[in-house]
Amino acid sequence: MTSARADVLIIGGGVAGLWARAALRRSGWSVILSEPRALGAGQTAASQGILHRGVKYALSADAREASNSLASAQADWRGALGLLEHETAPMIDLRGTEILSRRMHLWASGFLEKATGVGASLSMRSEVRRLARPDYPPAFRESPQGLALWEVDELSVSASSLVERLADAADGPVVHARTGGQPTWAGSTHSNTVCLRGDGGRACDITASAVVLAAGEGNEGLLGGLGGEGIMQRRPLHMVIADGAPVPLFAHLPRPGSDKPRLTITSARTFRGWCWYIGGDVAETGVARSREEQINFAKRELSETLGWIDLSPARWSAFRIDRAEGRTEAGRRPDGPVVRRFGRVLAVWPTKLALAPIAARMIQEQLRELGVVPGVGACENLAGWPRPPVAQPPWNDPELVWT
Ligand SMILES: Cc1cc2nc3c(=O)[nH]c(=O)nc-3n(C[C@H](O)[C@H](O)[C@H](O)COP(=O)(O)OP(=O)(O)OC[C@H]3O[C@@H](n4cnc5c(N)ncnc54)[C@H](O)[C@@H]3O)c2cc1C
């Protein structure tokens, strides 16, 4: 058994852990990050990769706060991706991340637009533009007359490419390791020692001034010995994939008065054409449906709302995944990231991929409050440990069943 020291040990290599690591390294903290599976292997790789600006939430009166926190993370993302007008060296350099689309579209039938005023609500957002038919993207060129279409500068990124760039955006150990047994946590005045175990019988005791639990739904188990029971919630989804669409689509179909779009669709190139990744309300309500029922329901939704696009050559799949978040009283989505402190252990749930920069700032604030100052140098003892692989998107999962 070897041992190593660091200012901060981060457990979990999804977007929350990786962004926090890059931000902490930039401010001088020494950091070890451990990941037992693959980087991004939880919700991050399964996410739709939309760096929301909060427009879809602005349609609902009780989601304004969520909308504001998303809007405030935009500068971090655009800076990191090198997309700001006056380019300076980014704080966290994610240039080279694959940007799948620079804009999301929002569509409504002419009838719905008139009946509900959805267009009026959208027009109040300066970043939303109504499109004239000659400017329609390929997916909407054959749409019936009377359709209303808007666009917003909302980025969609490839989650696996983002994870790869984030892992390279800072130096210091990122190790393929699990925590050995239930760690015993120290109180608020002492450092914690956590045993990491890797392949080939590797083991190392890490002593860190603070530990950040960024393990998504894995936080629940890790919090067991800390009195953190019941502070996490899961919100399940039943996502649908249609591989073989003729055109790409990055779009929300808003549901007036609701912060949950009826459909949210992003796309990736595959050898069959375009793979549509389908979420939104269809995925939330689909939790009660079997896989077959869910695919059939999604097909009906798409034929009703995008009936001019021929999806007959596509193969279909569906899979279940939970969103892990800080608990709210009504079980609703929290308005922003949640960071909870237990002595020198912080548990983080960013709530959204897009909110990872804000979650990282909250972690830094809490570390300062705890008096954890940058101090310890590099952690040489972990130099020979392998780095975890990067998780693949759901449609590349060899175990996915296709219909
Ligand atoms: C289907 C879906 C679509 C989404 N789409 C979007 C979107 O378009 N835009 C957006 O902003 N947000 C989206 N989200 C939300 C977003 O994906 C999550 O908020 C975010 O990825 C959470 O990141 P995380 O790092 O906290 O957790 P995760 O990504 O789940 O990462 C946790 C990591 O910890 C590791 N781990 C687990 N247990 C342990 C353990 N015991 N010890 C050590 N490590 C452990 C896991 O292997 C994993 O790598 C979506 C979520 C889902 C499920």
Side-chain angles (χ1 to χ4, degrees), residues 100 242-250 267-270 272-276 314:
L100 299 171
D243 182 19
V247 280
L249 184 58
F250 293 86
S267 306
R269 253 276 178 224
T270 62
R272 286 171 181 267
W274 291 95
C275 180
W276 284 8

Side-chain angles (χ1 to χ4, degrees), residues 147-170:
L147 181 117
L149 188 65
W150 299 265
E151 72 173 12
V152 57
D153 296 329
E154 196 165 65
L155 303 167
S156 296
V157 296
S158 146
S160 45
S161 149
L162 168 67
V163 161
E164 205 156 340
R165 290 294 306 128
L166 259 178
D168 287 340

Side-chain angles (χ1 to χ4, degrees), residues 82-96:
L83 299 177
L84 289 179
E85 255 170 47
H86 309 289
E87 213 170 303
T88 50
M91 301 267 280
I92 292 176
D93 191 355
L94 300 181
R95 288 175 294 185

Side-chain angles (χ1 to χ4, degrees), residues 11-17 34-38 40-44 46-50 52 179 214-216 218 222 237 239 277 321-323 348-354:
I11 298 181
V15 71
S34 73
E35 164 58 50
R37 296 192 285 160
Q43 303 154 85
T44 300
S47 87
Q48 292 188 281
I50 304 168
H52 299 280
T179 48
L222 291 165
L237 292 171
M239 301 294 288
Y277 189 29
I321 183 162
D322 286 348
R323 289 162 294 182
V348 58
W349 295 272
T351 306
K352 293 251 102 186
L353 177 108

Side-chain angles (χ1 to χ4, degrees), residues 51-171:
L51 304 179
H52 299 280
R53 299 186 68 141
V55 172
K56 66 174 185 168
Y57 297 149
L59 293 177
S60 160
D62 56 2
R64 294 270 146 77
E65 207 166 313
S67 172
N68 292 341
S69 52
L70 284 165
S72 71
Q74 280 297 307
D76 296 287
W77 282 106
R78 287 178 183 266
L81 294 166
L83 299 177
L84 289 179
E85 255 170 47
H86 309 289
E87 213 170 303
T88 50
M91 301 267 280
I92 292 176
D93 191 355
L94 300 181
R95 288 175 294 185
T97 299
E98 189 184 354
I99 298 174
L100 299 171
S101 173
R102 290 182 180 237
R103 47 197 68 88
M104 289 293 285
H105 291 98
L106 300 103
W107 84 102
S109 72
F111 168 75
L112 191 72
E113 192 210 348
K114 285 195 186 70
T116 62
V118 63
S121 316
L122 287 172
S123 312
M124 284 165 64
R125 304 275 306 208
S126 57
E127 67 273 40
V128 179
R129 297 174 293 277
R130 175 105 186 224
L131 291 185
R133 196 158 270 272
D135 300 325
Y136 279 15
F140 290 95
R141 291 208 183 122
E142 308 293 321
S143 62
Q145 292 298 324
L147 181 117
L149 188 65
W150 299 265
E151 72 173 12
V152 57
D153 296 329
E154 196 165 65
L155 303 167
S156 296
V157 296
S158 146
S160 45
S161 149
L162 168 67
V163 161
E164 205 156 340
R165 290 294 306 128
L166 259 178
D168 287 340
D171 60 357

